[in-house]
Amino acid sequence: MNEFFSDIQKIEYEGKDSKNPLAYKYYNADEIIDGKTMKEHLRFSVAYWHTFTAGGSDPFGVATMQRSWDNLNGMELARARMHANFEFVQKLGLGYFCFHDRDIAPEGEGLAETNSNLDEIVLLAKKLSEETGIKLLWGTANLFSNPRFVHGAASSCNADVFAYAAAQTKKALEVTKLLGGENYVFWGGREGYETLLNTNMGLEQDNLARFFHMAVDYAKEIGFTGQFLIEPKPMEPTKHQYDFDVATVLGFLRKYGLDKDFKMNIEANHATLAGHTFEHELHLARVNGVLGSVDANQGDSNLGWDTDQFPTDVRTATLAMYEVIKNGGLHSGGLNFDAKTRRASFEPIDLFYAHIAGMDTFAKGFKIAHKLVETGELEDFVNERYSSYSSGIGKDIVDGEAGFYELEKYVLENKTIVNKSGRQELLEGLLNRYILE
Ligand code: XUL
Ligand code: CO
């Protein structure tokens, strides 16, 4: 096979004292924890679009990334990138990759030609997947780049665009099934609005729900059994995205009777754009039974947009993995690096440094979180904090045996209220103790 990263060998685990930048310090794929390997716990995935398709252009300048496939075009380029994907994923020892339909194959003259381009690359991906054991974590359709999606896709004011998005998603579901994709993601690209002055929000949201129902029905028809995921994001590219955050999406799914069919793909940088922490979004999804998968990245607190940086913050990774462990793992989901190297990190080796840094961060975070769950120090504190609901009047409230009359009687008969400290600083110190030991 043509080597696209010929000067890089397979990345090995060397342990925390290693100074080798091309080795894992914490991610030890075969290490068994609670009966499963770290590889099985973490289920890392490479994002095709950032790693093989995007060139590093920004609003002020053209692409900067230097890639060994830069001299190719069209389908030849598409084939080279797919080979590069499997070589890269194999050299890092990851198990998965994710793609949008348009990342992997170019659009043709019309939908038929576009589909046949896609078919050819999907067959290549299937062959390479069978040869290497590397699998598709999730597929999705790019319903935002082409100018036809200028007003959105399923929420477009133009029914012809809705139809096109449906046809494109039908095909994306078929190829995701063919590749054994374990999930299918809807990130609402341009599903939102720029100004309410020209927007019928009620119709747009009803149509978005109609679209999701069509996808669920079609998946059943073709026997696609992967998990459907919605990826919340509050803004960018539109001023307001309908899948704003976990709470908003939960309300939407329940309103339209879609809550049994969808879980969520939580992205760190989308959480912070929504004014939440990553762990808040994971926690809310978990306690509502919809934590499906994770787009692992991080933003920049000084910048107000989706910077999609590689995750290197151990504290955040620890709190994220705490939620994942409490969720009983990610099940069919995984940790997908929806992250790109900075525009100035343009050499192929930077792609390796970036993934190694992200994987080590999450591996370390996982180990710390595992210890926190195991000792139960944090959970014990929380349980004790709510212990007033385990007996007496608190238990009556929880069991539905006390209403306003009973509660008024209780207050009139009982002593003064005594509150206890929330101990935030003590708990922050406790968390640091686990991180720093
Ligand atoms: C955009 C984003 C997407 C989705 C897949 O912010 O996160 O790449 O993950 O469409
Ligand atoms: Co994402």
Side-chain angles (χ1 to χ4, degrees):
M1 187 170 97
N2 204 345
E3 277 204 88
F4 293 92
F5 305 99
S6 53
D7 42 0
I8 293 171
Q9 309 306 311
K10 181 147 193 333
I11 308 300
E12 305 287 355
Y13 170 72
E14 290 185 4
K16 71 179 172 49
D17 296 327
S18 169
K19 299 271 185 297
N20 177 3
L22 288 172
Y24 296 119
K25 321 294 180 301
Y26 300 97
Y27 179 62
N28 185 4
D30 299 325
E31 186 179 333
I32 309 250
I33 297 169
D34 283 345
K36 276 206 271 178
T37 63
M38 278 188 97
K39 189 170 180 173
E40 288 166 334
H41 280 291
L42 294 163
R43 297 170 61 85
F44 287 126
S45 159
V46 165
Y48 201 98
W49 52 102
H50 287 309
T51 314
F52 307 103
T53 316
S57 60
D58 72 9
F60 304 95
V62 297
T64 56
M65 298 299 159
Q66 298 169 358
R67 304 290 183 245
S68 55
W69 50 85
D70 281 344
N71 57 328
L72 305 176
N73 281 303
M75 289 298 283
E76 211 186 341
L77 173 62
R79 280 189 288 272
R81 282 174 170 157
M82 189 52 80
H83 279 288
N85 170 52
F86 278 90
E87 182 189 333
F88 184 76
V89 175
Q90 217 169 10
K91 284 189 166 164
L92 280 165
L94 300 167
Y96 294 94
F97 70 110
C98 295
F99 65 77
H100 303 81
D101 48 2
R102 301 299 173 254
D103 304 331
I104 65 169
E107 290 207 46
E109 281 293 314
L111 186 62
E113 190 181 317
T114 300
N115 284 349
S116 105
N117 288 350
L118 188 59
D119 284 336
E120 184 189 324
I121 303 300
V122 165
L123 285 182
L124 172 63
K126 190 168 166 57
K127 175 174 144 312
L128 295 173
S129 170
E130 281 161 6
E131 280 169 21
T132 58
I134 291 161
K135 297 196 267 184
L136 180 65
L137 184 65
W138 47 261
T140 187
N142 177 332
L143 304 177
F144 45 90
S145 294
N146 190 291
R148 73 175 68 86
F149 300 119
V150 62
H151 300 304
S155 66
S156 173
C157 51
N158 183 346
D160 283 353
V161 177
F162 184 106
Y164 196 98
Q168 190 177 328
T169 300
K170 174 177 177 288
K171 182 72 182 171
L173 277 168
E174 290 161 12
V175 303
T176 300
K177 175 182 174 341
L178 188 84
L179 287 171
E182 298 185 22
N183 308 270
Y184 186 91
V185 165
F186 288 94
W187 166 59
R190 293 182 191 275
E191 314 291 25
Y193 68 83
E194 290 299 328
T195 171
L196 272 180
L197 294 176
N198 66 12
T199 301
N200 182 341
M201 203 197 305
L203 178 63
E204 291 201 2
Q205 295 208 358
D206 288 351
N207 281 346
L208 195 53
R210 289 185 179 104
F211 191 81
F212 290 141
H213 274 292
M214 289 178 199
V216 168
D217 290 347
Y218 188 63
K220 284 191 184 130
E221 194 180 322
I222 63 172
F224 173 66
T225 53
Q227 175 67 52
F228 276 117
L229 299 168
I230 291 190
E231 182 176 321
K233 185 175 183 183
M235 63 191 81
E236 197 197 332
T238 65
K239 175 188 167 71
H240 177 93
Q241 308 263 134
Y242 293 138
D243 301 332
F244 195 93
D245 59 4
V246 170
T248 310
V249 173
L250 268 175
F252 177 91
L253 293 175
R254 288 171 183 167
K255 172 177 176 187
Y256 292 104
L258 288 157
D259 47 316
K260 300 282 173 296
D261 295 299
F262 284 83
K263 288 188 176 178
M264 292 191 219
N265 184 36
I266 309 296
E267 177 162 332
N269 205 164
H270 296 180
T272 49
L273 278 179
H276 305 306
T277 59
F278 186 22
E279 60 271 21
H280 165 95
E281 288 291 80
L282 293 166
H283 187 103
L284 190 59
R286 171 171 72 79
V287 300
N288 282 285
V290 292
L291 173 50
S293 199
V294 170
D295 268 8
N297 63 13
Q298 71 186 34
D300 184 313
S301 55
N302 291 337
L303 301 174
W305 66 92
D306 194 14
T307 60
D308 282 342
Q309 288 165 236
F310 274 84
T312 53
D313 178 347
V314 176
R315 188 179 192 275
T316 301
T318 299
L319 294 172
M321 290 314 294
Y322 189 76
E323 295 301 332
V324 169
I325 296 171
K326 300 275 254 176
N327 194 53
L330 285 168
H331 310 286
S332 70
L335 296 173
N336 172 51
F337 289 111
D338 190 355
K340 58 190 176 203
T341 59
R342 298 303 83 195
R343 187 166 182 268
S345 305
F346 45 72
E347 294 179 12
I349 200 167
D350 292 310
L351 292 173
F352 285 87
Y353 294 148
H355 282 85
I356 291 168
M359 290 164 73
D360 266 343
T361 302
F362 267 85
K364 181 70 184 166
F366 171 66
K367 288 198 145 182
I368 300 167
H370 181 261
K371 210 171 257 181
L372 256 179
V373 173
E374 208 173 41
T375 64
E377 272 199 84
L378 203 52
E379 191 167 14
D380 288 349
F381 182 91
V382 176
N383 288 341
E384 168 58 27
R385 186 160 183 249
Y386 292 89
S387 58
S388 66
Y389 288 93
S390 308
S391 60
I393 194 70
K395 189 165 187 309
D396 289 348
I397 293 172
V398 170
D399 292 346
E401 279 165 18
F404 274 8
Y405 283 116
E406 293 78 7
L407 294 171
E408 183 188 47
K409 183 165 176 282
Y410 174 81
V411 170
L412 291 172
E413 286 170 5
N414 277 278
K415 60 227 156 149
T416 45
I417 290 172
V418 182
N419 269 316
K420 289 185 192 157
S421 166
R423 302 264 188 258
Q424 180 169 339
E425 297 77 9
L426 174 124
L427 295 171
E428 284 167 347
L430 180 153
L431 177 60
N432 271 356
R433 171 155 57 78
Y434 280 79
I435 293 173
L436 298 172
E437 84 183 359

